Amino acid sequence: MTNVRVRIPPSPTGLLHIGTVRTALYNFLFAKHEGGTMVFRMEDTDKERSKKEYEEDIINGLVKLGIAGDEGVHIPGSKGFRQSERIEVYTKNLQKLLDENKAYYCFCTKERLDNMREKQREAKLPPRYDGCCKNLSTDEAKKRVEAGEKAVIRLRIPENEDISFKDLVRGETCINCKELDDFVIARAIDNPLYHLTVVVDDHDMGITHVIRGEDHISNTPKQILIFRALGYEVPHFAHLPLILNEDKSKLSKRKNKVSVDDYLAEGYLPEALLNFLALLGWNTPDEQEIFSMDELIEKFTLDRVHKGGAIFDIKKLDWVNGEYIKRAIAENIDEFFETVKPFIKNIPTDDESLIKNILKDPDFEGRFSKLSEVSEVLEPLFSPIPDYPTSLLALDKFQITPAMLKDKVLPKAKEVLSGIDWERGESSKSKVISDGLVAIVGELGLKNGQVLWPIRVALSGLEKSPNFATLAVYLGKEECLKRLDIALEKCK
Ligand code: GLU
């Protein structure tokens, strides 16, 4: 394919939505795969709902994710990529349609239209414009408009014609004009509506492929009619499956976070989010799950986009993110530390190398599915030991008695840990500590659980925590001995 040009045209009526990112990503991947160009424009003609802050959020978000494309609102100094800057162009196109009698002014009042629809409902007919103003003469219409009468502009559509197109995802799609009516394309000559603006923009910007959410599929025949009326070439269309909540309802704020900022703030890595979104409605034949951006570009084709809805599975996102975190830690701990730094809270240490060692420790591998979890894992290693009951230490299940701990296990553990000389945070010491403590089991003729469980509880004060050797390494010798004393006190 030559000269592929695609577009992402969000409306700035809310923060950057996860669905917009998926659409932008598929456009980006398709354009790059085909060696084409992606245009980023802002559909801001809805003056009441459009806000500058939303526009900024959308632009910043797509730029940060690296999928904003090659031309458009995000390029400094660019002009003409906001619909609000193109009103004159739309007016010219509307005038052309009026002059050629392909569109007409409609003076019907709201009351008349409501009345008409009510009657249609009663007669169990679909609500369609009845063509009342369709045959007004151009001169009369012109006079009334000039006299200040309010009028919308409607497209005159063929009466009985099949509008068909081959959707690149969904296949042949056809609708008869009988199912449509002469729809409104502008509220006034200088107040165009979405269907008109989108068609004029797609034509002027040389768009060859319109790739967008399935919620726009019913708009496509209408837009094809406008393309034809204006004598413009109709682009190819590809409609992407809807993103669904787990209960298969349309992705909604009530059931999932929908703003990209929320995901980033929670500690999802941008690359992981993109990887996850790439799989939300597309896959490779071998079901590969983790891709670099270059691989996605190389492998992405529209014929592998799914027709059915794509379920937003947050567990899968957590898994993908966890994989990216694992790789980021292994690849460059210093860089990862900078990324995770803003998420590290309530950790009373400025010892960066200690934290880096913990993050790298194999015992913590796979423990983080989000950056926000790093603090939760680190906190027990730096917080004062919580109070805990003796029964947690002398667990019945393992037939441990306080006496056994007081006389044998805890003094022995103290002896082992006192005898080792180690530097806090040096994970290579973990094996020495582990071997020393495990040896107690044989020495005292007890079971594993009877020795290792109480030591871990004594060191953490928690029912669940990292293993005892890892804990010991990061708590440091002194703190370990102090905690063993607290445990001894509890067994008296
Ligand atoms: N502005 C439209 C939206 O945000 C995009 C329409 C289109 O892709 O044609 O849904």
Side-chain angles (χ1 to χ4, degrees), residues 7-13 20 23 41-44 83 194 198 202 210-213 215-216 219 223 237:
R7 44 38 146 216
I8 180 74
S11 304
T13 53
T20 307
T23 303
R41 71 172 183 250
M42 208 40 87
E43 300 205 331
D44 60 349
Q83 292 193 329
Y194 161 67
V198 87
D202 285 344
V210 170
I211 304 170
R212 60 186 174 187
D215 43 336
H216 286 290
N219 294 331
Q223 291 167 13
F237 290 95

Side-chain angles (χ1 to χ4, degrees), residues 265 340-348 372 374-376 378-379:
V340 79
K341 219 168 167 178
F343 292 86
I344 300 182
K345 296 193 182 98
N346 305 324
I347 308 298
S372 57
V374 168
S375 281
E376 284 162 37
L378 293 183
E379 225 180 304

Side-chain angles (χ1 to χ4, degrees), residues 136-296:
L136 288 178
S137 78
T138 325
D139 279 350
E140 184 191 341
K142 203 172 159 212
K143 270 192 209 127
R144 285 170 71 176
V145 170
E146 277 166 7
E149 201 174 332
K150 273 187 79 162
V152 299
I153 300 172
R154 291 183 183 271
L155 187 77
R156 191 186 299 281
I157 70 165
E159 267 173 20
N160 180 5
E161 195 178 308
D162 282 338
I163 311 292
S164 58
F165 63 98
K166 190 168 177 299
D167 190 281
L168 296 175
V169 173
R170 314 189 62 82
E172 204 60 50
T173 309
C174 182
I175 181 170
N176 190 282
C177 283
K178 276 197 247 164
E179 292 172 49
L180 304 172
D181 63 2
D182 287 354
F183 55 97
V184 179
I185 54 176
R187 286 204 190 88
I189 191 83
D190 56 355
N191 192 355
L193 289 173
Y194 161 67
H195 289 306
L196 190 279
T197 56
V198 87
V199 166
V200 172
D201 286 352
D202 285 344
H203 169 263
D204 287 0
M205 295 173 192
I207 301 305
T208 57
H209 293 74
V210 170
I211 304 170
R212 60 186 174 187
E214 195 188 302
D215 43 336
H216 286 290
I217 201 155
S218 61
N219 294 331
T220 305
K222 294 184 182 175
Q223 291 167 13
I224 291 176
L225 285 169
I226 302 178
F227 275 109
R228 288 191 193 161
L230 286 167
Y232 296 156
E233 197 179 329
V234 181
H236 297 285
F237 290 95
H239 287 91
L240 310 176
L242 289 183
I243 305 180
L244 307 174
N245 295 308
E246 251 163 286
D247 61 4
K248 306 218 163 134
S249 54
K250 192 177 163 196
L251 187 72
S252 69
K253 259 192 222 168
R254 276 188 303 119
K255 302 196 177 127
N256 273 299
K257 283 186 275 299
V258 294
S259 140
V260 171
D261 294 340
D262 289 342
Y263 286 93
L264 299 179
E266 210 179 316
Y268 290 101
L269 299 172
E271 318 82 76
L273 198 57
L274 290 179
N275 188 143
F276 168 74
L277 289 176
L279 295 171
L280 212 53
W282 171 85
N283 68 350
T284 52
D286 60 358
E287 311 247 336
Q288 185 179 343
E289 308 249 50
I290 303 291
F291 299 84
S292 68
M293 191 44 106
D294 285 344
E295 270 177 302
L296 283 176

Side-chain angles (χ1 to χ4, degrees), residues 300-350:
F300 186 84
T301 52
L302 286 173
D303 60 359
R304 293 209 56 87
V305 172
H306 310 163
K307 289 193 186 67
I311 293 185
F312 192 94
D313 177 359
I314 193 85
K315 282 186 233 82
K316 172 121 182 229
L317 173 58
D318 285 350
W319 176 79
V320 171
N321 203 48
E323 288 298 305
Y324 272 79
I325 291 180
K326 238 193 279 180
R327 286 170 194 218
I329 291 175
E331 267 163 33
N332 189 334
I333 187 67
D334 295 322
E335 229 169 72
F336 179 73
F337 182 72
E338 290 309 312
T339 311
V340 79
K341 219 168 167 178
F343 292 86
I344 300 182
K345 296 193 182 98
N346 305 324
I347 308 298
T349 180
D350 43 20

Side-chain angles (χ1 to χ4, degrees), residues 17 27 46 48 81 192 232 288 325 343 384 408 442 468:
H17 189 284
N27 274 283
D46 184 343
E48 270 134 51
F81 292 101
Y232 296 156
Q288 185 179 343
I325 291 180
F343 292 86
K408 298 180 174 175
F468 57 90

